[in-house]
Amino acid sequence: MTHNKEQTRNISAAILAGGTAKRLGGISKSNVVIGGKTVISRIMEALSGLFNEIIVVSNTPGAFSDLEGIRIVRDVYPGIGPLAGIHAALKSAHSEAVFIVAGDMPLLSVSLIKFELEEYFRRKPDVLIPKTGDLIEPLHSVFSTQIENNLEEFITGRKTFAVREYLKIVRTEYFEPPDLKEAMRSFININSPEDIERIEKLYTKSF
C-alpha cells in the first residue's frame, strides 16, 4: 500500500514538543540544531508529505512561533508528562487517529511511519506501538481519537500518569518494524550534548 495525503486524511500527526534538558541549558529539545536545522524542522520534513494535519503540543508556544501554518496547542493537564501531550493531541485532532511522535527525534524514517500507518489501518486498535525485542516506543505510535474520553478519565482519576500504565487498560497492539536498524535510528532522541554529537554523526552517515 502506498500512502499519500489523500489516503491518510483520516489520521493526523502530533509532535510532543514539551521536553527540555538541563544538560542542554534548559532549552526545548525540539529547537536543538542538527545538521544546520532544528530538530522540529527535521520532524516536520518527515511528516509533511504524509499528513494533512500536523499539531505541535507545547506549553511554550512562543518557542515555535516561526512554524508557519502549524496549529500549536497546550496541555489541558500540564505537569504530568507525555500523557498530557497525548491527551491534548487527541482532543485537538480532526481525525480518527493521531500519529504521536516525540519532539526530540531528528532521524525519523518516512518508510517506517508509512509501514506503521499501514499496520494501524489494517488492525484498527486503540493504540499501535512499535516493539523491538523487549523495548517499546510509545512516543512513535498511533492513538485512536476514540479513546480521548477514556484517557481523560484515567488522568483525572489516577495517581499515576505513566503512559505504560494507561496502555494496560485500552486495546494496545504492537508491531515489529521490518528494518531493525532503521527503527533504532528513528527512535534515537536527545537528552545530552553527547547525544547531539552522536546524532550529528549518524545524520552525516545517513544523509
Side-chain angles (χ1 to χ4, degrees):
M1 184 186 300
T2 301
H3 288 298
N4 55 38
K5 285 188 177 182
E6 179 63 24
Q7 290 170 312
T8 58
R9 65 190 181 279
N10 289 326
I11 188 165
S12 305
I15 304 168
L16 305 192
T20 60
K22 292 180 179 178
R23 294 184 64 190
L24 299 175
I27 67 169
S28 167
K29 292 189 285 185
S30 299
N31 281 328
V32 168
V33 175
I34 299 289
K37 294 183 180 180
T38 62
V39 172
I40 197 165
S41 294
R42 297 203 174 283
I43 294 174
M44 291 291 301
E45 287 176 358
L47 302 181
S48 61
L50 298 173
F51 303 96
N52 285 318
E53 179 178 54
I54 300 176
I55 301 165
V56 173
V57 182
S58 173
N59 292 324
T60 56
F64 306 102
S65 57
D66 59 330
L67 295 179
E68 297 182 0
I70 299 300
R71 193 151 50 96
I72 302 176
V73 301
R74 295 173 179 265
D75 293 343
V76 179
Y77 300 100
I80 64 171
L83 206 60
I86 295 170
H87 170 262
L90 298 184
K91 190 176 185 66
S92 303
H94 302 123
S95 58
E96 71 174 56
V98 182
F99 172 69
I100 299 287
V101 64
D104 62 348
M105 291 180 173
L107 300 177
L108 293 180
S109 162
V110 172
S111 61
L112 175 59
I113 297 171
K114 286 181 178 179
F115 182 85
E116 190 164 335
L117 297 180
E118 287 182 15
E119 286 296 294
Y120 174 79
F121 289 132
R122 185 173 67 84
R123 305 188 196 187
K124 289 295 185 73
D126 291 333
V127 185
L128 180 68
I129 298 180
K131 183 176 183 180
T132 53
D134 294 328
L135 302 176
I136 66 172
E137 187 45 76
L139 298 186
H140 189 295
S141 302
V142 182
F143 284 71
S144 168
T145 53
Q146 293 184 359
I147 65 174
E148 177 205 332
N149 291 336
N150 177 281
L151 176 53
E152 184 157 353
E153 290 175 2
F154 179 88
I155 289 172
T156 57
R158 298 287 180 122
K159 294 182 179 179
T160 176
F161 304 112
V163 176
R164 290 169 186 259
E165 288 302 310
Y166 178 69
L167 296 177
K168 296 176 182 179
I169 69 168
V170 290
R171 189 162 66 90
T172 301
E173 295 189 14
Y174 301 90
F175 74 96
E176 290 190 12
D179 185 328
L180 179 61
K181 184 177 179 180
E182 176 186 51
M184 297 309 292
R185 184 173 64 243
S186 297
F187 301 155
I188 292 172
N189 66 340
I190 297 170
N191 291 303
S192 69
E194 291 78 15
D195 290 336
I196 297 174
E197 183 178 349
R198 179 166 61 106
I199 292 170
E200 286 272 12
K201 291 179 181 178
L202 285 171
Y203 178 80
T204 302
K205 289 180 181 179
S206 300
F207 302 96

